[in-house]
Short mmCIF file of all heavy atoms in Angstrom, two decimals:
data_model
loop_
_atom_site.label_atom_id
_atom_site.label_comp_id
_atom_site.label_asym_id
_atom_site.label_seq_id
_atom_site.Cartn_x
_atom_site.Cartn_y
_atom_site.Cartn_z
N ILE A 27 -13.32 -23.30 24.26
CA ILE A 27 -13.24 -22.02 24.83
C ILE A 27 -12.31 -21.95 25.98
O ILE A 27 -11.61 -20.98 26.32
CB ILE A 27 -14.63 -21.48 25.23
CG1 ILE A 27 -14.65 -20.03 25.51
CG2 ILE A 27 -15.31 -22.28 26.29
CD1 ILE A 27 -14.17 -19.09 24.43
N ILE A 28 -12.15 -23.13 26.77
CA ILE A 28 -11.30 -23.04 27.87
C ILE A 28 -9.86 -23.02 27.42
O ILE A 28 -8.92 -22.36 27.86
CB ILE A 28 -11.46 -24.37 28.72
CG1 ILE A 28 -12.65 -24.39 29.57
CG2 ILE A 28 -10.18 -24.72 29.50
CD1 ILE A 28 -13.00 -25.60 30.34
N ARG A 29 -9.48 -23.74 26.22
CA ARG A 29 -8.22 -23.70 25.67
C ARG A 29 -7.85 -22.19 25.15
O ARG A 29 -6.81 -21.77 25.41
CB ARG A 29 -8.15 -24.61 24.47
CG ARG A 29 -6.80 -24.62 23.77
CD ARG A 29 -6.76 -25.52 22.54
NE ARG A 29 -7.62 -24.90 21.37
CZ ARG A 29 -7.11 -23.90 20.68
NH1 ARG A 29 -5.93 -23.36 20.78
NH2 ARG A 29 -7.84 -23.39 19.69
N LEU A 30 -8.86 -21.61 24.46
CA LEU A 30 -8.54 -20.24 23.97
C LEU A 30 -8.37 -19.32 25.09
O LEU A 30 -7.63 -18.37 25.05
CB LEU A 30 -9.66 -19.79 23.04
CG LEU A 30 -9.78 -20.53 21.74
CD1 LEU A 30 -11.17 -20.16 21.06
CD2 LEU A 30 -8.69 -20.07 20.90
N THR A 31 -9.27 -19.25 26.14
CA THR A 31 -9.23 -18.47 27.27
C THR A 31 -7.90 -18.58 28.01
O THR A 31 -7.23 -17.53 28.43
CB THR A 31 -10.36 -18.69 28.20
OG1 THR A 31 -11.53 -18.48 27.51
CG2 THR A 31 -10.31 -17.89 29.41
N THR A 32 -7.47 -19.76 28.24
CA THR A 32 -6.13 -20.02 29.07
C THR A 32 -4.95 -19.48 28.20
O THR A 32 -4.06 -18.80 28.76
CB THR A 32 -5.93 -21.54 29.18
OG1 THR A 32 -7.10 -22.15 29.85
CG2 THR A 32 -4.72 -21.79 30.08
N GLU A 33 -4.95 -19.74 26.86
CA GLU A 33 -3.96 -19.16 25.97
C GLU A 33 -3.94 -17.73 26.04
O GLU A 33 -2.93 -16.91 26.09
CB GLU A 33 -4.09 -19.72 24.63
CG GLU A 33 -3.66 -21.19 24.49
CD GLU A 33 -3.93 -21.64 23.00
OE1 GLU A 33 -4.33 -20.88 22.13
OE2 GLU A 33 -3.58 -22.95 22.82
N ALA A 34 -5.11 -17.05 25.97
CA ALA A 34 -5.26 -15.58 25.99
C ALA A 34 -4.66 -15.04 27.20
O ALA A 34 -3.98 -13.98 27.26
CB ALA A 34 -6.71 -15.22 25.85
N VAL A 35 -4.96 -15.50 28.33
CA VAL A 35 -4.45 -15.16 29.56
C VAL A 35 -2.94 -15.26 29.73
O VAL A 35 -2.21 -14.27 30.20
CB VAL A 35 -5.06 -15.91 30.85
CG1 VAL A 35 -4.29 -15.65 32.14
CG2 VAL A 35 -6.56 -15.63 31.00
N LYS A 36 -2.34 -16.16 29.16
CA LYS A 36 -0.81 -16.38 29.18
C LYS A 36 -0.21 -15.36 28.32
O LYS A 36 0.77 -14.68 28.61
CB LYS A 36 -0.42 -17.76 28.58
CG LYS A 36 -0.76 -18.87 29.60
CD LYS A 36 -0.35 -20.29 28.98
CE LYS A 36 -0.63 -21.40 30.02
NZ LYS A 36 -0.22 -22.66 29.46
N LYS A 37 -0.91 -15.08 27.00
CA LYS A 37 -0.39 -14.15 26.13
C LYS A 37 -0.37 -12.60 26.70
O LYS A 37 0.50 -11.84 26.32
CB LYS A 37 -1.19 -14.14 24.80
CG LYS A 37 -0.94 -15.33 23.97
CD LYS A 37 -1.66 -15.38 22.70
CE LYS A 37 -1.51 -16.62 21.83
NZ LYS A 37 -2.33 -16.56 20.63
N ILE A 38 -1.36 -12.34 27.45
CA ILE A 38 -1.52 -10.99 28.11
C ILE A 38 -0.74 -10.89 29.37
O ILE A 38 -0.62 -9.75 29.87
CB ILE A 38 -2.92 -10.46 28.13
CG1 ILE A 38 -3.69 -11.22 29.20
CG2 ILE A 38 -3.63 -10.49 26.79
CD1 ILE A 38 -5.08 -10.72 29.51
N GLY A 39 -0.22 -11.96 29.76
CA GLY A 39 0.76 -11.95 31.01
C GLY A 39 0.06 -11.61 32.26
O GLY A 39 0.66 -11.07 33.22
N TYR A 40 -1.16 -12.12 32.33
CA TYR A 40 -1.98 -11.88 33.59
C TYR A 40 -1.43 -12.76 34.69
O TYR A 40 -1.24 -13.92 34.49
CB TYR A 40 -3.46 -12.06 33.36
CG TYR A 40 -4.30 -11.61 34.55
CD1 TYR A 40 -4.48 -10.36 34.87
CD2 TYR A 40 -4.82 -12.58 35.35
CE1 TYR A 40 -5.25 -9.98 35.97
CE2 TYR A 40 -5.69 -12.37 36.40
CZ TYR A 40 -5.82 -11.05 36.82
OH TYR A 40 -6.64 -10.61 37.86
N VAL A 41 -1.54 -12.31 35.88
CA VAL A 41 -1.14 -13.07 37.14
C VAL A 41 -2.21 -12.74 38.25
O VAL A 41 -2.61 -11.64 38.61
CB VAL A 41 0.26 -12.63 37.69
CG1 VAL A 41 0.53 -13.37 39.06
CG2 VAL A 41 1.29 -12.93 36.70
N GLY A 42 -2.80 -13.91 38.70
CA GLY A 42 -3.80 -13.85 39.83
C GLY A 42 -5.14 -14.43 39.36
O GLY A 42 -5.18 -15.29 38.48
N ALA A 43 -6.18 -14.22 40.13
CA ALA A 43 -7.56 -14.82 39.78
C ALA A 43 -8.13 -13.71 38.94
O ALA A 43 -8.02 -12.50 39.22
CB ALA A 43 -8.32 -14.97 41.05
N GLY A 44 -8.86 -14.13 37.92
CA GLY A 44 -9.57 -13.26 36.98
C GLY A 44 -10.62 -13.89 36.35
O GLY A 44 -10.77 -15.17 36.30
N THR A 45 -11.52 -13.17 35.58
CA THR A 45 -12.59 -13.73 34.95
C THR A 45 -12.73 -13.03 33.57
O THR A 45 -12.66 -11.77 33.48
CB THR A 45 -13.85 -13.50 35.74
OG1 THR A 45 -13.81 -14.00 37.02
CG2 THR A 45 -15.12 -14.09 35.01
N LEU A 46 -12.96 -13.81 32.53
CA LEU A 46 -13.15 -13.35 31.23
C LEU A 46 -14.61 -13.52 30.85
O LEU A 46 -15.13 -14.61 31.09
CB LEU A 46 -12.27 -14.02 30.21
CG LEU A 46 -10.83 -13.59 30.12
CD1 LEU A 46 -9.90 -14.14 31.23
CD2 LEU A 46 -10.22 -13.98 28.73
N GLU A 47 -15.27 -12.41 30.49
CA GLU A 47 -16.66 -12.38 30.37
C GLU A 47 -17.09 -12.41 28.85
O GLU A 47 -16.46 -11.60 28.09
CB GLU A 47 -17.48 -11.28 31.05
CG GLU A 47 -17.06 -11.20 32.57
CD GLU A 47 -17.98 -10.48 33.38
OE1 GLU A 47 -18.95 -9.89 32.75
OE2 GLU A 47 -17.93 -10.43 34.51
N PHE A 48 -18.01 -13.20 28.43
CA PHE A 48 -18.44 -13.28 27.06
C PHE A 48 -19.97 -13.30 26.90
O PHE A 48 -20.66 -13.55 27.87
CB PHE A 48 -18.12 -14.73 26.51
CG PHE A 48 -16.53 -14.86 26.53
CD1 PHE A 48 -15.93 -15.55 27.60
CD2 PHE A 48 -15.87 -14.70 25.33
CE1 PHE A 48 -14.57 -15.71 27.61
CE2 PHE A 48 -14.48 -15.03 25.38
CZ PHE A 48 -13.84 -15.44 26.56
N LEU A 49 -20.49 -12.86 25.76
CA LEU A 49 -21.82 -13.06 25.31
C LEU A 49 -21.77 -14.30 24.43
O LEU A 49 -20.99 -14.47 23.49
CB LEU A 49 -22.42 -11.95 24.60
CG LEU A 49 -22.69 -10.70 25.48
CD1 LEU A 49 -23.19 -9.60 24.59
CD2 LEU A 49 -23.56 -10.96 26.66
N LEU A 50 -22.78 -15.33 24.61
CA LEU A 50 -22.86 -16.49 23.89
C LEU A 50 -24.18 -16.31 23.04
O LEU A 50 -25.33 -16.29 23.73
CB LEU A 50 -22.95 -17.69 24.72
CG LEU A 50 -23.10 -19.05 24.10
CD1 LEU A 50 -22.06 -19.31 23.11
CD2 LEU A 50 -23.39 -20.15 24.98
N ASP A 51 -24.00 -16.17 21.68
CA ASP A 51 -25.23 -15.97 20.84
C ASP A 51 -25.86 -17.37 20.56
O ASP A 51 -25.31 -18.48 20.88
CB ASP A 51 -24.94 -15.11 19.63
CG ASP A 51 -24.03 -15.91 18.54
OD1 ASP A 51 -24.03 -17.12 18.59
OD2 ASP A 51 -23.27 -15.15 17.88
N ARG A 52 -26.99 -17.20 19.89
CA ARG A 52 -27.81 -18.44 19.56
C ARG A 52 -27.15 -19.48 18.70
O ARG A 52 -27.49 -20.49 18.42
CB ARG A 52 -29.17 -18.04 19.13
CG ARG A 52 -30.07 -17.59 20.27
CD ARG A 52 -31.46 -17.35 19.92
NE ARG A 52 -32.24 -16.96 21.00
CZ ARG A 52 -33.60 -16.62 21.04
NH1 ARG A 52 -34.25 -16.74 19.77
NH2 ARG A 52 -34.20 -16.30 22.10
N GLU A 53 -26.19 -18.85 17.87
CA GLU A 53 -25.43 -19.71 16.86
C GLU A 53 -24.25 -20.37 17.64
O GLU A 53 -23.47 -21.12 16.94
CB GLU A 53 -24.91 -18.89 15.68
CG GLU A 53 -25.93 -18.57 14.79
CD GLU A 53 -26.96 -17.51 15.38
OE1 GLU A 53 -26.51 -16.46 15.80
OE2 GLU A 53 -28.27 -17.70 15.20
N GLY A 54 -23.98 -20.13 18.91
CA GLY A 54 -22.96 -20.75 19.64
C GLY A 54 -21.60 -20.10 19.55
O GLY A 54 -20.56 -20.66 19.94
N ASN A 55 -21.67 -18.70 19.17
CA ASN A 55 -20.43 -17.99 19.03
C ASN A 55 -20.21 -17.33 20.38
O ASN A 55 -21.05 -16.60 20.95
CB ASN A 55 -20.51 -16.92 17.95
CG ASN A 55 -20.85 -17.53 16.65
OD1 ASN A 55 -20.04 -18.43 16.16
ND2 ASN A 55 -21.90 -17.09 15.83
N PHE A 56 -18.89 -17.32 20.87
CA PHE A 56 -18.45 -16.49 22.08
C PHE A 56 -17.99 -15.22 21.55
O PHE A 56 -17.01 -15.12 20.81
CB PHE A 56 -17.42 -17.31 22.73
CG PHE A 56 -17.96 -18.45 23.62
CD1 PHE A 56 -18.02 -19.67 23.05
CD2 PHE A 56 -18.41 -18.20 25.02
CE1 PHE A 56 -18.51 -20.82 23.84
CE2 PHE A 56 -18.77 -19.28 25.67
CZ PHE A 56 -18.85 -20.60 25.18
N TRP A 57 -18.49 -14.13 22.23
CA TRP A 57 -18.00 -12.74 21.97
C TRP A 57 -17.51 -12.11 23.16
O TRP A 57 -18.18 -12.07 24.23
CB TRP A 57 -19.26 -11.86 21.45
CG TRP A 57 -19.90 -12.31 20.21
CD1 TRP A 57 -20.82 -13.29 20.05
CD2 TRP A 57 -19.50 -11.89 18.85
NE1 TRP A 57 -21.20 -13.35 18.76
CE2 TRP A 57 -20.25 -12.65 18.02
CE3 TRP A 57 -18.54 -10.93 18.38
CZ2 TRP A 57 -20.27 -12.38 16.60
CZ3 TRP A 57 -18.44 -10.71 16.93
CH2 TRP A 57 -19.30 -11.43 16.10
N PHE A 58 -16.22 -11.98 23.21
CA PHE A 58 -15.45 -11.31 24.43
C PHE A 58 -16.05 -9.97 24.69
O PHE A 58 -16.09 -9.16 23.91
CB PHE A 58 -14.03 -11.39 24.29
CG PHE A 58 -13.26 -10.71 25.46
CD1 PHE A 58 -13.03 -11.48 26.55
CD2 PHE A 58 -12.93 -9.39 25.31
CE1 PHE A 58 -12.37 -10.83 27.58
CE2 PHE A 58 -12.16 -8.74 26.35
CZ PHE A 58 -11.97 -9.50 27.56
N MET A 59 -16.35 -9.73 26.05
CA MET A 59 -16.83 -8.43 26.40
C MET A 59 -15.71 -7.63 27.29
O MET A 59 -15.30 -6.53 27.01
CB MET A 59 -18.00 -8.56 27.32
CG MET A 59 -19.28 -8.88 26.49
SD MET A 59 -20.83 -8.65 27.61
CE MET A 59 -20.34 -9.82 28.99
N GLU A 60 -15.36 -8.32 28.43
CA GLU A 60 -14.42 -7.70 29.35
C GLU A 60 -13.77 -8.71 30.29
O GLU A 60 -14.11 -9.82 30.33
CB GLU A 60 -15.28 -6.71 30.19
CG GLU A 60 -16.36 -7.24 31.04
CD GLU A 60 -17.21 -6.26 31.70
OE1 GLU A 60 -17.83 -5.56 30.98
OE2 GLU A 60 -17.21 -6.24 32.91
N MET A 61 -12.85 -8.13 31.03
CA MET A 61 -12.17 -9.03 31.97
C MET A 61 -12.22 -8.36 33.28
O MET A 61 -11.98 -7.20 33.48
CB MET A 61 -10.65 -9.17 31.58
CG MET A 61 -9.91 -10.21 32.58
SD MET A 61 -8.35 -10.42 31.88
CE MET A 61 -7.68 -11.53 33.22
N ASN A 62 -12.48 -9.15 34.41
CA ASN A 62 -12.60 -8.65 35.80
C ASN A 62 -11.21 -9.02 36.37
O ASN A 62 -11.06 -10.38 36.54
CB ASN A 62 -13.75 -9.14 36.51
CG ASN A 62 -14.99 -8.42 36.08
OD1 ASN A 62 -15.06 -7.12 36.21
ND2 ASN A 62 -15.96 -9.18 35.66
N VAL A 63 -10.44 -8.14 36.82
CA VAL A 63 -9.18 -8.38 37.39
C VAL A 63 -9.26 -8.50 39.00
O VAL A 63 -8.45 -7.97 39.70
CB VAL A 63 -8.07 -7.46 36.93
CG1 VAL A 63 -7.80 -7.62 35.53
CG2 VAL A 63 -8.50 -6.03 37.29
N ARG A 64 -10.07 -9.40 39.51
CA ARG A 64 -10.47 -9.54 40.93
C ARG A 64 -11.20 -10.75 41.17
O ARG A 64 -11.48 -11.49 40.30
CB ARG A 64 -11.17 -8.31 41.35
CG ARG A 64 -12.51 -8.06 40.62
CD ARG A 64 -13.50 -7.05 41.24
NE ARG A 64 -14.49 -6.82 40.33
CZ ARG A 64 -15.63 -7.41 40.22
NH1 ARG A 64 -15.78 -8.60 40.91
NH2 ARG A 64 -16.64 -6.99 39.33
N LEU A 65 -11.45 -10.97 42.31
CA LEU A 65 -12.32 -12.00 42.78
C LEU A 65 -13.74 -11.71 42.39
O LEU A 65 -14.23 -10.58 42.81
CB LEU A 65 -12.17 -12.38 44.27
CG LEU A 65 -12.73 -13.67 44.80
CD1 LEU A 65 -12.11 -14.87 44.36
CD2 LEU A 65 -12.79 -13.64 46.36
N GLN A 66 -14.53 -12.64 41.81
CA GLN A 66 -15.87 -12.34 41.57
C GLN A 66 -16.82 -12.69 42.72
O GLN A 66 -16.49 -13.63 43.57
CB GLN A 66 -16.45 -13.19 40.39
CG GLN A 66 -15.63 -12.77 39.03
CD GLN A 66 -16.24 -11.58 38.37
OE1 GLN A 66 -15.77 -10.49 38.71
NE2 GLN A 66 -17.46 -11.68 37.60
N VAL A 67 -17.95 -12.06 42.84
CA VAL A 67 -18.91 -12.33 43.82
C VAL A 67 -19.27 -13.78 43.71
O VAL A 67 -19.30 -14.56 44.69
CB VAL A 67 -20.28 -11.43 43.77
CG1 VAL A 67 -21.30 -11.86 44.79
CG2 VAL A 67 -19.91 -9.97 43.88
N GLU A 68 -19.42 -14.22 42.43
CA GLU A 68 -19.93 -15.65 42.25
C GLU A 68 -18.88 -16.71 42.27
O GLU A 68 -19.13 -17.73 41.76
CB GLU A 68 -20.72 -15.67 40.92
CG GLU A 68 -19.97 -15.16 39.72
CD GLU A 68 -19.98 -13.69 39.45
OE1 GLU A 68 -20.32 -12.85 40.41
OE2 GLU A 68 -19.73 -13.23 38.35
N HIS A 69 -17.70 -16.38 42.81
CA HIS A 69 -16.63 -17.36 42.82
C HIS A 69 -17.07 -18.65 43.55
O HIS A 69 -16.52 -19.69 43.28
CB HIS A 69 -15.28 -16.77 43.45
CG HIS A 69 -15.43 -16.75 44.94
ND1 HIS A 69 -15.97 -15.56 45.56
CD2 HIS A 69 -14.99 -17.43 45.94
CE1 HIS A 69 -15.90 -15.84 46.90
NE2 HIS A 69 -15.37 -16.94 47.19
N SER A 70 -17.98 -18.56 44.46
CA SER A 70 -18.40 -19.62 45.39
C SER A 70 -18.95 -20.87 44.52
O SER A 70 -18.69 -22.09 44.86
CB SER A 70 -19.41 -19.23 46.35
OG SER A 70 -18.85 -18.10 47.06
N VAL A 71 -19.62 -20.51 43.51
CA VAL A 71 -20.31 -21.61 42.68
C VAL A 71 -19.20 -22.35 41.92
O VAL A 71 -19.37 -23.66 41.74
CB VAL A 71 -21.35 -21.03 41.74
CG1 VAL A 71 -20.82 -20.26 40.50
CG2 VAL A 71 -22.27 -22.11 41.27
N THR A 72 -18.15 -21.79 41.48
CA THR A 72 -17.06 -22.48 40.82
C THR A 72 -16.33 -23.32 41.77
O THR A 72 -15.87 -24.48 41.60
CB THR A 72 -16.12 -21.45 40.16
OG1 THR A 72 -16.83 -20.74 39.10
CG2 THR A 72 -14.86 -22.12 39.69
N GLU A 73 -16.08 -22.85 43.02
CA GLU A 73 -15.46 -23.59 44.04
C GLU A 73 -16.20 -24.86 44.43
O GLU A 73 -15.62 -25.87 44.61
CB GLU A 73 -15.32 -22.78 45.31
CG GLU A 73 -14.37 -21.68 45.22
CD GLU A 73 -14.13 -20.75 46.57
OE1 GLU A 73 -15.23 -20.69 47.27
OE2 GLU A 73 -13.10 -20.34 46.71
N MET A 74 -17.58 -24.77 44.38
CA MET A 74 -18.38 -25.81 44.75
C MET A 74 -18.27 -27.00 43.67
O MET A 74 -18.33 -28.10 44.03
CB MET A 74 -19.80 -25.49 44.90
CG MET A 74 -20.80 -26.42 45.39
SD MET A 74 -20.59 -26.89 47.20
CE MET A 74 -21.80 -25.99 47.91
#
């Protein structure tokens, strides 16, 4: 999912910090929901 997400960001030509949000179902499938084109409130946990 990291590989797919990184490739997707390059394809859409995004620049900056951003977050791609997914729903993960019980079968392990990732379903893309939306993208936040800003710093997230929860960025601190990733920094840690």
